[in-house]
Amino acid sequence: MNVDNPDPPDLSKDSEYSERIQYLGDKQHDCSIRLTDVRETDSHEYYFRFITDRPEGKWIGAPGVTLDVTDLQVESEGETVMEGHSVNLTCKSRCSLTDTPTFIWFRNTQTLNDRNKKLILPSVRRENAGDYRCAVQGHNLTSPPRRLNVIYPPEKTHVVVNPSGVIVEGDSVNLICFSESNPPVHIYSWFKENQTSSVGSGQMFSISTFNSSLSGWFYCVAQNEVGSQRSAAVSLTLKGNMVMFYSIIGALTFGAAFVVVFLLVWRIRWMKKGNESRIDHHSPPHNSNNI
């Protein structure tokens, strides 16, 4: 086919192709070329131009060759999945593959054992989170990464008292709530046992001046977008209250010991008097002999 435009673009002189195209033909009967580092933007119809020694002897072979380039793609129902739920990842391509292609799956830098087109995760764990890529065995092409985010509610929620140890009146005390979750906890609430309303919010609950009226058991509730968890309660007790408690216990113990000793002494005396009474009762009468 004779061309209307005598000077169509020469790919060997195009900056997008000059470093990637190589002529393999003999300029007589073979017009083969090699295109390396193929990109999706290389999808075009390609022609060979024949130039002869005649004045208008420039020809293009028609029809040309259509090159359709596509990347492998990992598709899923969504990028975010709840821990314990199932998710399917599919390796897709618009190119025609062999009848029974073997797929290769990657999570981050780890190669997975699955060789199917569809990667099935029946019960997702947080360890399954990461970037997933797929490839087809025998082809030097890997898909772009597809991020899988595994979310779960707060767990291992607990309270740390700072400073720890004995609290005296007037001390400042900080209660800090820790929890593991994805997404991170965004609401921390503080409660005192036997009270329905919260006493504070935020990851740290501070008491600037502690006194006996504040003594009790405190706990926190951690909450994110998918759930919440309550911590175990921790006790805050004023040192003076403990001294009074131990004093009462000591007094009761001393009193009990005194009663026990008194009863033992009384018992011993009672038994002694009983023995003396029996001896007097069984003694023989005194006889007097007159001369």
Side-chain angles (χ1 to χ4, degrees):
M1 181 179 70
N2 192 265
V3 296
D4 295 330
N5 179 9
D7 296 309
D10 186 348
L11 297 184
S12 64
K13 298 178 182 179
D14 189 321
S15 60
E16 291 292 326
Y17 290 90
S18 59
E19 299 297 327
R20 301 187 294 124
I21 199 167
Q22 180 184 3
Y23 186 74
L24 303 177
D26 57 10
K27 296 186 179 182
Q28 297 294 326
H29 305 286
D30 186 356
C31 303
S32 301
I33 63 169
R34 174 183 291 135
L35 180 63
T36 59
D37 188 20
V38 178
R39 305 162 187 172
E40 195 168 3
T41 54
D42 293 334
S43 297
H44 294 289
E45 187 173 10
Y46 293 84
Y47 299 88
F48 281 100
R49 183 176 64 176
F50 300 93
I51 302 176
T52 67
D53 54 0
R54 297 181 181 181
E56 295 184 357
K58 295 181 179 181
W59 304 78
I60 286 182
V65 177
T66 301
L67 178 63
D68 186 14
V69 182
T70 182
D71 284 336
L72 290 173
Q73 299 288 336
V74 175
E75 294 185 357
S76 66
E77 297 89 341
E79 294 187 0
T80 300
V81 60
M82 185 74 173
E83 187 172 42
H85 291 190
S86 63
V87 65
N88 298 332
L89 304 176
T90 305
C91 188
K92 288 191 174 182
S93 173
R94 288 181 299 170
C95 292
S96 298
L97 302 174
T98 60
D99 293 337
T100 56
T102 300
F103 293 86
I104 305 171
W105 285 94
F106 306 90
R107 182 178 66 243
N108 300 329
T109 59
Q110 178 187 5
T111 303
L112 305 180
N113 294 326
D114 202 295
R115 293 293 180 266
N116 298 311
K117 181 178 182 179
K118 181 174 291 187
L119 178 64
I120 301 175
L121 303 175
S123 181
V124 177
R125 303 187 306 273
R126 65 198 65 181
E127 295 82 7
N128 298 133
D131 292 325
Y132 284 80
R133 295 174 294 116
C134 69
V136 178
Q137 187 171 324
H139 296 267
N140 187 24
L141 179 64
T142 303
S143 73
R146 175 81 170 184
R147 182 70 179 172
L148 180 64
N149 182 32
V150 180
I151 60 176
Y152 51 92
E155 61 179 35
K156 300 179 182 178
T157 306
H158 63 283
V159 175
V160 173
V161 181
N162 184 31
S164 59
V166 176
I167 304 173
V168 297
E169 189 161 3
D171 278 353
S172 61
V173 182
N174 295 324
L175 303 180
I176 307 172
C177 187
F178 293 95
S179 185
E180 297 179 11
S181 69
N182 184 37
V185 173
H186 66 280
I187 297 177
Y188 291 94
S189 302
W190 291 92
F191 296 87
K192 190 176 183 181
E193 291 282 14
N194 302 321
Q195 292 187 10
T196 56
S197 59
S198 65
V199 296
S201 61
Q203 187 174 11
M204 185 169 68
F205 174 57
S206 298
I207 301 175
S208 57
T209 306
F210 195 81
N211 57 60
S212 59
S213 65
L214 298 174
S215 296
W217 292 83
F218 293 82
Y219 63 91
C220 70
V221 175
Q223 180 180 348
N224 69 356
E225 297 173 7
V226 293
S228 62
Q229 187 183 51
R230 169 192 161 160
S231 72
V234 297
S235 176
L236 294 184
T237 306
L238 195 63
K239 179 182 178 182
N241 291 351
M242 293 302 294
V243 171
M244 182 178 295
F245 172 77
Y246 288 124
S247 297
I248 293 173
I249 294 298
L252 291 175
T253 303
F254 177 78
F258 176 80
V259 171
V260 171
V261 171
F262 174 80
L263 291 175
L264 286 174
V265 172
W266 179 83
R267 176 69 174 173
I268 292 171
R269 290 183 177 180
W270 181 83
M271 292 177 65
K272 185 176 179 181
K273 287 182 178 181
N275 290 335
E276 290 177 352
S277 175
R278 285 194 295 273
I279 292 172
D280 291 341
H281 178 73
H282 294 287
S283 296
H286 180 72
N287 296 322
S288 300
N289 298 320
N290 295 325
I291 302 175

